[in-house]
Every structure is written in structure tokens, then in C-alpha cells.
Amino acid sequence: GEKVEQHESTLSVREGDSAVINCTYTDTASSYFPWYKQEAGKSLHFVIDIRSNVDRKQSQRLIVLLDKKAKRFSLHITATQPEDSAIYFCAASRSSGSWQLIFGSGTQLTVMP
Amino acid sequence: EAAVTQSPRNKVAVTGGKVTLSCNQTNNHNNMYWYRQDTGHGLRLIHYSYGAGSTEKGDIPDGYKASRPSQENFSLILELATPSQTSVYFCASGEPGTGQDTQYFGPGTRLLVL
């Protein structure tokens, strides 16, 4: 079946550095790729998304890149801050038209002061 | 901001018992979803619904039933709970195809089956 692989299970960066989280997907027809943030003990909160008709999207310090040929997308967090520390999940839409998302396994990002 | 609430927030159940997890959304979204979150697996889809009266199987439906009696409410039912169903359960709602394809998540229910 369709899968989304999130390559980094943990990631540590120094405050002010950039963090990059990479995901790959298997469903060629996936067209929607959201990212969610989960702070310790809390629920998932949407942070940014990208659609397959573009290859780059930026929202403040967050940049998402999409490479459809490689079936890869990535989240770049620039000028990281301690409050960026959380688990980040990538997801990809299923092509079946049922409006389902397939989630990666999550990346624990730690931003060290 | 979308509002999705879940109850109970924490639940301890016995093996073989019946458990009902409830979800309510006030966004008038057609689609609702139940996921479970386990370490190393991310979120896995159990059941989803397109609207009142509709329930569909997700990726891991075995041992679970769902009920969507109204636009606002979506329940997940464990008829015979087992320890392997110990997990954190999230409900989500969404209105895809409107340009806002994101899903909005509830706070989660932590279920422990002894």
C-alpha cells in the first residue's frame, strides 16, 4: 500500500541554525502534502502545506520543497528557536479521492540553546 | 480556528470491556477521521466518515467500529477491548476540496486497556 517515510526520527540543532526534515512517498498521484507539529503531550497542529502544482512554499521561517520526480518533500525551519522543539509529522494525500492522509512516523526536533 | 473536542481525555478499561470514544466538531466539516498514535508508527487511520450516517474503514479497522449519527459527532467503539488497543486516539475533521484541505485535530484520548 501507499507509504510515507520520514527519514529522521530525531534531529538536534543549535538555536539559530536551520533544521531540515525529509520525507518520501510512494503514491505517484499524491497531490497534497501537509506538515503538522506536535508539542509534548499535546495534539497535532497544522503548520504548512504544499500542493503538487508548485515546488516551493514559504511561510515566515518555514519552507517546504517538493520534488515530484523523486517523490520527496522536505520541511526547512530557518533561524530555529527553542519553541520549535516538537515532533513534526509529514503527510501525503491518497490518490483514491477519499481525502485521506498517510502520515510519516514523525521527527523529534530538539533545538538546543 | 477549527474546534474539535474529544471525550474522555483519559480512559482505563479492562480486557473484554466495551469502550466508546466520542468526538465533536463545531466546524460543519463533512469529513471526520479516527487515528491512533503509537511510537514509531505515526498516525494510522482507523475509520473515517464523509457525513452523517456514513462510516468507512481505514487502514487498521479490525477490532473497531465507528458511528456518525450527526454532522457534529463521530464515535469510535471498541466492543471487546484488548491490551493491544492501548494507545492515544485522535479525532480529526476536514472539508477537502474547498482549498482548505488540512485536517483539524482534537486533543486526543489516552486509552489504557488492562
Side-chain angles (χ1 to χ4, degrees):
Chain A
E2 302 100 332
K3 287 184 184 176
V4 173
E5 291 204 36
Q6 202 159 340
H7 296 270
E8 298 84 8
S9 57
T10 60
L11 181 61
S12 292
V13 299
R14 289 278 178 203
E15 183 177 358
D17 289 348
S18 292
V20 182
I21 302 171
N22 296 285
C23 291
T24 53
Y25 60 99
T26 59
D27 188 341
T28 306
S30 289
S31 61
Y32 176 65
F33 306 89
W35 288 85
Y36 292 86
K37 176 183 181 182
Q38 184 180 35
E39 294 172 8
K42 297 192 176 178
S43 186
L44 281 78
H45 180 73
F46 168 81
V47 290
I48 192 170
D49 59 11
I50 191 167
R51 297 180 191 280
S52 57
N53 59 342
V54 297
D55 54 20
R56 185 182 190 277
K57 182 175 180 178
Q58 181 166 359
S59 174
Q60 298 181 317
R61 295 186 296 109
L62 303 178
I63 301 169
V64 181
L65 302 179
L66 174 63
D67 181 343
K68 292 187 291 292
K69 266 190 181 175
K71 287 189 280 186
R72 180 173 59 218
F73 59 115
S74 57
L75 174 67
H76 299 244
I77 307 173
T78 62
T80 52
Q81 301 167 1
E83 52 265 38
D84 294 329
S85 296
I87 301 176
Y88 290 82
F89 291 95
C90 61
S93 62
R94 272 208 170 97
S95 61
S96 58
S98 55
W99 299 107
Q100 298 175 37
L101 294 175
I102 310 162
F103 284 83
S105 54
T107 297
Q108 173 70 63
L109 172 65
T110 302
V111 180
M112 298 173 290
Chain B
E1 177 81 20
V4 181
T5 57
Q6 294 181 231
S7 63
R9 294 294 311 279
N10 294 280
K11 173 75 178 178
V12 179
V14 295
T15 298
K18 182 176 180 179
V19 176
T20 301
L21 307 183
S22 299
C23 178
N24 177 274
Q25 54 105 355
T26 57
N27 313 301
N28 201 32
H29 287 163
N30 282 318
N31 287 20
M32 295 186 75
Y33 309 83
W34 275 108
Y35 297 90
R36 61 178 285 175
Q37 182 180 23
D38 304 286
T39 304
H41 288 281
L43 274 75
R44 292 181 289 174
L45 182 64
I46 306 169
H47 284 287
Y48 61 100
S49 168
Y50 293 122
S54 129
T55 60
E56 307 289 337
K57 293 181 179 179
D59 297 317
I60 52 165
D62 292 346
Y64 302 93
K65 289 185 181 178
S67 172
R68 181 89 182 269
S70 65
Q71 180 80 339
E72 297 80 19
N73 295 295
F74 190 36
S75 297
L76 185 68
I77 303 144
L78 291 66
E79 295 277 5
L80 294 169
T82 69
S84 64
Q85 294 175 312
T86 292
S87 187
V88 180
Y89 291 85
F90 287 100
C91 174
S93 74
E95 192 65 34
T98 62
Q100 275 286 338
D101 290 337
T102 192
Q103 293 181 14
Y104 296 90
F105 285 81
T109 294
R110 193 171 295 272
L111 174 65
L112 173 62
V113 182
L114 300 173

